[in-house]
Amino acid sequence: MNLILIIGHTGQGKSTYLQKFIAGKKQYIFDVNNEYNLPDDLQIRPQMRNRDLNVNRFLSICKSLKNYNICFEDATGFLRGKQQKELSQLIVAKRHTGNNFIFLFHSINRVPPELMEMSNYVILFKTNDNIDLIDRKFKNEKINTAFLQLQKMKQHSFIEINTI
């Protein structure tokens, strides 16, 4: 019953982090890049994926899911500005459905402010963002501090931020 944002530049380890996080758990993935494979035995490891990039159908299916990790791989390309009403309703109802919502972004500045406000956790990898733009958009000291710390760390480093 969390909203988790995983943010990092290409090649920093976002998808690898996500795959480890959801391994062996019920999951439904908006699989933009066809990176997630269905298991051989669907009864042992229930996993679903959506590869046709139909956001409305994906959200419609999400309404029937309970206790799933619902993942939006590469959310940068399809989530901008104010979110669809259906998506906002799903996120707000996460406590009642037991679903976790996980969004992957390539840039902090591509995260819609509404999602940042509703998030429980941010997993931040290195990005090519500008600290002034981040501060202007979100005014979030935890994000600013983590961003600056990551600039001094080596590639594939990340910081987990509890935003509650």
Side-chain angles (χ1 to χ4, degrees), residues 27 52 61 63 70 89 125 138 141-142 164:
Q27 52 196 263
D52 68 5
I61 292 169
K63 291 177 186 177
I70 299 173
Q89 289 172 338
F125 290 80
F138 297 111
E141 194 57 40
K142 289 180 180 180
I164 300 173

Side-chain angles (χ1 to χ4, degrees), residues 3-4 6 30 46 49 53 81 89 96-97 125 134 142 154-155:
L3 172 58
I4 302 167
I6 303 176
F30 192 85
R49 66 179 175 176
L53 307 185
Q89 289 172 338
H96 303 289
T97 62
F125 290 80
I134 295 169
K142 289 180 180 180
K154 57 185 162 180
Q155 193 171 1

Side-chain angles (χ1 to χ4, degrees), residues 50-136:
N50 178 297
R51 296 183 318 166
D52 68 5
L53 307 185
N54 183 330
V55 176
N56 292 329
R57 188 163 68 83
F58 182 80
L59 294 176
S60 176
I61 292 169
C62 287
K63 291 177 186 177
S64 67
L65 300 178
K66 302 259 189 254
N67 302 308
Y68 268 75
N69 288 295
I70 299 173
C71 309
F72 295 79
E73 174 68 49
D74 203 0
T76 301
F78 66 92
L79 291 179
R80 296 177 188 264
K82 186 143 178 69
Q83 300 318 303
Q84 293 182 11
K85 181 180 175 184
E86 294 82 5
L87 178 58
S88 294
Q89 289 172 338
L90 285 168
I91 292 170
V92 169
K94 67 186 182 302
R95 182 173 62 91
H96 303 289
T97 62
N99 291 326
N100 290 314
F101 289 86
I102 307 166
F103 294 86
L104 278 69
F105 289 94
H106 289 113
S107 162
I108 300 168
N109 280 313
R110 290 289 182 196
V111 176
E114 181 182 15
L115 283 184
M116 186 67 84
E117 289 172 10
M118 294 170 34
S119 70
N120 302 91
Y121 300 96
V122 173
I123 313 305
L124 186 60
F125 290 80
K126 280 188 171 186
T127 71
N128 289 332
D129 286 292
N130 176 297
I131 186 64
D132 294 329
L133 295 176
I134 295 169
D135 186 51
R136 204 172 313 141

